[in-house]
Every structure is written in structure tokens, then in C-alpha cells.
Amino acid sequence: MTNDSQTIIDGFKFNWEIERGVFQFEGQEAVLFWISTAMKSFFDTIEEISGEEASNLVFETAGFRQGLVVGEYFEKMKDLSVEDAAKAITTTYASAGWGQIEIKELNYQTKTLSAYLKDTWEHKINVAQGKDKGGSFLPAHFAGIFTGLFGTNIWYKTTQQRLDGNDFSIIEYFPSEINISSNIHELARKKESEQIKYLERLVEEKTGELQGLVKKLSSPIIPVLEEIVVVPLIGTYEVDRAEDLIINTLNNLPAYKANYLILDLTGLDQEISDHTASLIEKIGAASSLIGTKTILVGITTELSIAISRSMINFSQFECFQSLQHGIHFALGQMGRKII
């Protein structure tokens, strides 16, 4: 009894060398896989790791490049026409279990053709996967084959899907500038663009969070004693930030039943702008409308010079150099003192 065997079917030779674990198809080593189980698992794994879009390009690229090898091999057979090569290839593929593949409307002058595919191994995998759209390996594979046979870049368009209940998938082939390299670069640019957009959204979200935090922390209302609150002004106040400060302050003063609002200017930029000076005046005027008097503290020599240069009159405010002095003044005005 021998572990070696050979059979010829329709002129195609199959060899097995069991002891060596070798299977040959037409003199070339080959492998056998169950389509709806092992091969399905292989495709599922690639899609799980790479994602649907990237894995589709992987299958398309692999199919095209394999087909290109086949096409270039047959193109070297000068005694074989493109029509004969196409027939030989589809017959060979049928014997290898690739399914029913028929080439129609082949025109060497225009470099165009149509491929009719039925019950291919890729279709069977797609059915087992529950897909509603055909795969890209075989369509791209024949684009590679005819790129090699025609000596010019051929691409494809699927005009009919077997998965839609049709008897065949129909793939049209034609010369095109579309190729695997351009598709890879396009996907890379798309992924890069998506990553940039993601980072931009992330930056916007974090910026929004920081702005919200700044609003809360940069000008908080601090109740230091009964009926006395302090609002420290920090940095520079542009239009939006100034508006937030005014609204936040006026909305919260009644809750504290504040008779005195002490604006601490210690943290302000020394180069005080007219806008910031106007802000201070507006807060004081608005506070007075709800019965709260405003006191300014933390006025340094540099800041007092900057304030004096502004066109706004600060004489309506009681001004002190330190917060402690401002608190004592407010207490005194209310007939109280710290013991």
C-alpha cells in the first residue's frame, strides 16, 4: 500500500504525497481548506483586526497582485492568444474549485471584457458571513490577470451581485488610472484625515472643558463674611470672559444677600486695558442696582497708574491697597468689626 497517489481530471493533474504532507495541483504545491468554515474564519479574523474598510482593501490588493502574477505568466506564452489564455485560466480555476467563471465580450483593441461569476468560493464565504455585498478579492483578481495579459492597467466595476438573488455576479473590466497603489494611498489619507478630525474634536472638547473650568475658577464668588463677598479678577478679560464674569456675579449676589462686593484686582494684568476698566465700572454700576456696594482692593502703584490713564471715572468706588483693608471698611460701614 502506498501513501502516494495521482489522478488526472479533464487533463488536470492532482498529486498527493501523504507521508510528506504534500498536495500538488498541476505540479505546484497547493493547500485545501473548507470554504464555509476554515476560510470563513480566516476572512472573519482579518476583518475583525483590520476593520471592514481596510480588510476590503487587503482582499482587493491581494487578489489583484495574485492575478497579476497569473496574467504575466500567461502573457509570456506568445503562442497563446488572450482569448485562449482567458479560457485556460477559467478552466483551470474551475478544476481547482474556484466556481463557474465565464469571460464574455472580450475586446483586445479596447481592452475591455465582462466576467460572469457563479458559486465562487468567495461568494460562499460571503453567504456564510451573512454579507449583503459581494467581496473584492475575485473581481480584483481578474483585474490583475488582464492587467498582465493586456499590458495595461485594468480595473473593474461590479454591475450585478450574486448576493442580490441573481444567477451571476457580473464584473465589467476596462482600462483605468485606478490601481491598488492609489487605493492604498487614498485609504491612508482618509484614515489620516479621520484621525486629524478626531484629534480636532478631542481638542475642541477639551478646550470647551477647560474654558468651562476657567469660567468657574478664574472669577469665583467667595463669601468671606456675612453679607460680604469677594470676586478676584485674574488675568485679562476679553469680551466673552467679561460677559461671563458680569452674569455670574450678578446672578449669585442675591443668593449671598451681599451688601458689599469686593473686587480684588491683585491678579489682573498690570497693563489694564480700557475694556477691563470698563468691565469694572459695569460690575459696580450693575451691583448698585440690586443694592450691593462695590469696593476695589489690591490696587498696586502700577495698576493705579494704568487706571488713572483710562477714560473711566473710578471715583464712585472705595479703593484700598489690600483685601484686609477692604473687609474692615465694609464691616465698619455695617457697624461691625472683627474681634
Side-chain angles (χ1 to χ4, degrees), residues 268-312:
L268 273 182
D269 287 347
Q270 296 302 307
E271 295 295 328
I272 186 172
S273 65
D274 289 342
H275 184 74
T276 302
S278 175
L279 165 67
I280 296 171
E281 183 183 43
K282 287 179 180 178
I283 292 178
S287 299
S288 65
L289 293 176
I290 58 176
T292 302
K293 300 179 180 62
T294 301
I295 300 172
L296 304 184
V297 302
I299 302 177
T300 63
T301 303
E302 294 80 3
L303 188 58
S304 64
I305 294 174
I307 290 174
S308 65
R309 289 174 179 171
S310 70
M311 302 302 293
I312 298 173

Side-chain angles (χ1 to χ4, degrees), residues 18-38:
I18 305 302
E19 290 184 354
R20 293 179 56 218
V22 173
F23 166 67
Q24 291 183 328
F25 172 63
E26 284 293 283
Q28 296 289 324
E29 291 190 2
V31 292
L32 299 176
F33 289 103
W34 287 289
I35 292 173
S36 299
T37 53

Side-chain angles (χ1 to χ4, degrees), residues 44-325:
D44 287 342
T45 301
I46 293 177
E47 291 181 359
E48 180 182 356
I49 295 173
S50 304
E52 184 176 354
E53 187 175 24
S55 62
N56 184 67
L57 182 57
V58 169
F59 298 140
E60 188 175 67
T61 303
F64 181 88
R65 289 176 175 171
Q66 287 185 10
L68 189 61
V69 172
V70 175
E72 290 175 345
Y73 172 79
F74 278 89
E75 193 274 334
K76 293 176 182 178
M77 299 180 180
K78 301 304 181 183
D79 58 337
L80 201 65
S81 68
V82 173
E83 290 83 356
D84 291 338
K87 185 176 181 180
I89 290 168
T90 55
T91 302
T92 302
Y93 282 17
S95 68
W98 282 47
Q100 300 177 37
I101 303 167
E102 186 177 2
I103 303 301
K104 296 184 178 182
E105 300 147 8
L106 192 153
N107 188 318
Y108 187 80
Q109 299 301 320
T110 60
K111 306 289 192 297
T112 57
L113 65 135
S114 297
Y116 287 65
L117 281 62
K118 182 177 182 179
D119 296 336
T120 63
W121 60 262
E122 186 172 32
H123 170 74
K124 293 173 183 177
I125 290 175
N126 293 156
V127 171
Q129 291 177 310
K131 294 288 185 67
D132 57 7
K133 182 179 179 182
S136 59
F137 183 95
L138 284 177
H141 183 75
F142 283 93
I145 288 176
F146 286 96
T147 293
L149 288 175
F150 287 141
T152 187
N153 190 75
I154 301 296
W155 202 241
Y156 71 92
K157 178 182 179 182
T158 301
T159 58
Q160 179 173 296
Q161 293 271 6
R162 178 85 168 89
L163 286 174
D164 292 335
N166 300 299
D167 290 336
F168 295 88
S169 288
I170 301 177
I171 319 296
E172 294 182 357
Y173 294 91
F174 45 85
S176 174
E177 294 182 357
I178 299 173
N179 55 51
I180 290 301
S181 296
S182 64
N183 286 348
I184 292 174
H185 294 155
E186 181 180 352
L187 180 61
R189 287 193 296 269
K190 182 178 179 180
K191 293 295 183 183
E192 181 180 351
S193 177
E194 290 175 352
Q195 181 66 12
I196 290 173
K197 290 179 180 178
Y198 167 74
L199 292 174
E200 287 177 344
R201 288 196 301 270
L202 190 61
V203 169
E204 288 177 0
E205 291 173 2
K206 294 303 179 183
T207 299
E209 292 175 4
L210 288 173
Q211 287 175 340
L213 183 61
V214 167
K215 289 179 182 179
K216 292 179 180 179
L217 298 181
S218 63
S219 300
I221 293 183
I222 305 170
V224 291
L225 291 170
E226 186 179 356
E227 301 178 4
I228 301 174
V229 298
V230 175
V231 173
L233 303 188
I234 303 170
T236 302
Y237 286 83
E238 303 300 338
V239 176
D240 291 341
R241 191 174 176 221
E243 183 176 348
D244 289 336
L245 172 64
I246 295 173
I247 293 174
N248 183 54
T249 301
L250 295 181
N251 284 342
N252 286 282
L253 282 177
Y256 293 108
K257 299 179 180 179
N259 287 328
Y260 284 90
L261 165 64
I262 301 178
L263 295 181
D264 189 349
L265 312 184
T266 306
L268 273 182
D269 287 347
Q270 296 302 307
E271 295 295 328
I272 186 172
S273 65
D274 289 342
H275 184 74
T276 302
S278 175
L279 165 67
I280 296 171
E281 183 183 43
K282 287 179 180 178
I283 292 178
S287 299
S288 65
L289 293 176
I290 58 176
T292 302
K293 300 179 180 62
T294 301
I295 300 172
L296 304 184
V297 302
I299 302 177
T300 63
T301 303
E302 294 80 3
L303 188 58
S304 64
I305 294 174
I307 290 174
S308 65
R309 289 174 179 171
S310 70
M311 302 302 293
I312 298 173
N313 182 12
F314 278 67
S315 60
Q316 60 182 303
F317 303 116
E318 298 291 342
C319 301
F320 298 92
Q321 188 173 9
S322 70
L323 176 60
Q324 183 181 12
H325 290 147

